[in-house]
Amino acid sequence: MSGNRAVVYSKPGSVEVRNTDYPDLVLKDGPGVNPLNVGRKCEHGVILKVVTTNICGSDQHMVRGRTTAPSGLILGHEITGEVIEVGRDVEFIKKGDLVSVPFNIACGRCRSCKERNTNVCLNVNPDRPGSAYGYVDMGGWVGGQSEYVMVPYADFQLLKFPDKEQAMEKILDLTMLSDIFPTGYHGAVSAGVRPGSTVYVAGAGPVGLAAAHSAQLLGAAVVIVGDLNAERLAQAKSFGCETVNLRENDDLAGQIDQILGSPEVDSAIDCVGFEAHGHGKSHGEAPATVLNSIMEVTRAGGSLGIPGLYVTGDPGAIDEDSKIGTLKIRFGLGWAKSHTFVTGQTPVMKYHRELMMAILSGRAQIAKAVNATLISLNDAPKAYQDFDRGVSRKFVIDPHGLVK
């Protein structure tokens, strides 16, 4: 078989669907590929026919030109697919299996992986711990917003769905297992959400909506979602969240007080990241806003989950410090309130099996929560534009037209 089509970052503000190489069980040179990874043999890997692959807010950071991503980078780290070729070292995954791919690439052999910290695998990125498909400075593993993709370390990483027919019926939910659902769930777990908790979620984009739904699954009594976007807040309200509109009213603590009778919550989750904006009608970019505000509204002794993305290189930042990820955080406030902070990539494999079971049992309704919207591969450039304008949808690409 030859030929492949993929979504490619071309320049700030622009993606294209291009013809590209059919994947092989070796990592070849290309845009963003770390030179030390070129020629890396992956007989422990598989080739997938992509069934669904999602557009992520993290992709948008690159497409906006807010990272050092090179032109020509094939995007996509949220991948679900059917195995069509297996490497000679793959023992348990078979051709025909329908699988979810964790966005973290992990070898299963290093100390981090053995400690279930697959988000910081030591062997897949020559520059630093941790890697991902189709993402800047993550080793150069080719992205999966494409017709076909290579996935390494298949026996260790891949989550096989037990029944293909059942899985296809719930594919818009199951496609969220590669990143967004575990990421939102990790944010809620990291924030210490438990039965009876009051929770504030900063950001009503797809990850924020996933975090809010996860908090509900964990038994939270009240989940409050804050954003500047009324359409996204309406989506949060549609599945039982309280909401605060920070464009219309910049007093976050006051709005929480009106809902709870207290200006503080037990737990807070940052689902915005480094492109945060200040509050109010005349808001501007202020990358530390969310971190400072969640410290303000979280009670003493509470925990903060921070799945929102923060980077060490942002060429479009508002000041020189922010360009290298140095933000004006009120750390003294967090110290004084004895807050616990949890940051970094989500270790997807810690959660994806139990979340799969929650979906298959009907307990989790993640596609409904994030407003999953199916599109073709050709529709991807427009979907990126729509997503950047703030529509409340989680775009799911169906490259082969396999989803009913």
Side-chain angles (χ1 to χ4, degrees), residues 204 228-236 245 371 389-393:
L228 301 162
N229 182 317
E231 180 183 341
R232 290 182 168 182
L233 289 173
Q235 180 64 25
N245 188 324
N371 196 16
R389 286 195 292 266
V391 299
S392 187
R393 297 181 182 181

Side-chain angles (χ1 to χ4, degrees), residues 10-250:
S10 57
K11 61 183 179 180
S14 177
V15 302
E16 301 173 0
V17 178
R18 296 182 186 173
N19 293 322
T20 185
D21 293 335
Y22 183 80
D24 196 359
L25 295 173
V26 61
L27 188 53
K28 298 177 181 178
D29 197 9
V33 179
N34 190 301
L36 296 176
N37 262 349
V38 173
R40 187 166 182 160
K41 296 180 180 179
C42 297
E43 290 294 344
H44 42 64
V46 298
I47 306 298
L48 296 184
K49 181 178 182 178
V50 177
V51 173
T52 53
T53 177
N54 316 328
I55 296 175
C56 181
S58 299
D59 298 321
Q60 285 286 17
H61 294 306
M62 291 187 291
V63 173
R64 291 189 191 112
R66 296 299 297 268
T67 71
T68 56
S71 177
L73 183 74
I74 296 176
L75 299 167
H77 56 271
E78 301 189 17
I79 307 164
T80 305
E82 180 185 2
V83 178
I84 59 173
E85 181 182 339
V86 298
R88 67 162 183 255
D89 297 334
V90 178
E91 185 175 0
F92 304 111
I93 295 293
K94 306 297 183 185
K95 287 184 182 179
D97 286 347
L98 186 60
V99 297
S100 176
V101 183
F103 81 89
N104 328 103
I105 301 170
C107 71
R109 299 154 167 80
C110 69
R111 176 178 177 176
S112 289
C113 287
K114 290 177 179 179
E115 293 177 351
R116 299 187 74 198
N117 295 318
T118 53
N119 53 319
V120 283
C121 175
L122 304 176
N123 288 330
V124 289
N125 184 353
D127 287 337
R128 63 173 185 266
S131 192
Y133 302 89
Y135 212 84
V136 60
D137 296 334
M138 288 290 184
W141 299 88
V142 178
Q145 285 175 17
S146 56
E147 294 175 325
Y148 303 94
V149 68
M150 188 271 283
V151 174
Y153 305 106
D155 279 332
F156 176 64
Q157 295 193 100
L158 296 182
L159 177 65
K160 176 185 172 182
F161 300 138
D163 184 296
K164 287 179 70 173
E165 185 175 341
Q166 180 194 30
M168 287 303 295
E169 291 175 357
K170 290 182 174 284
I171 196 66
L172 289 182
D173 292 285
L174 293 171
T175 191
M176 306 304 166
L177 291 173
S178 57
D179 179 358
I180 182 177
F181 197 8
T183 293
Y185 191 80
H186 178 62
V189 169
S190 300
V193 177
R194 58 186 183 273
S197 293
T198 57
V199 184
Y200 174 65
V201 179
V207 171
L209 297 171
H213 185 47
S214 297
Q216 292 173 333
L217 289 173
L218 289 166
V222 182
V223 180
I224 304 168
V225 180
D227 205 294
L228 301 162
N229 182 317
E231 180 183 341
R232 290 182 168 182
L233 289 173
Q235 180 64 25
K237 190 173 289 187
S238 74
F239 60 94
C241 299
E242 299 286 345
T243 60
V244 293
N245 188 324
L246 295 166
R247 183 186 299 273
E248 299 300 325
N249 184 342
D250 62 3

Side-chain angles (χ1 to χ4, degrees), residues 293-314:
S293 64
I294 63 175
M295 284 190 285
E296 177 190 353
V297 301
T298 302
R299 66 174 176 83
S303 296
L304 314 176
I306 309 174
L309 176 67
Y310 289 86
V311 296
T312 57
D314 175 8

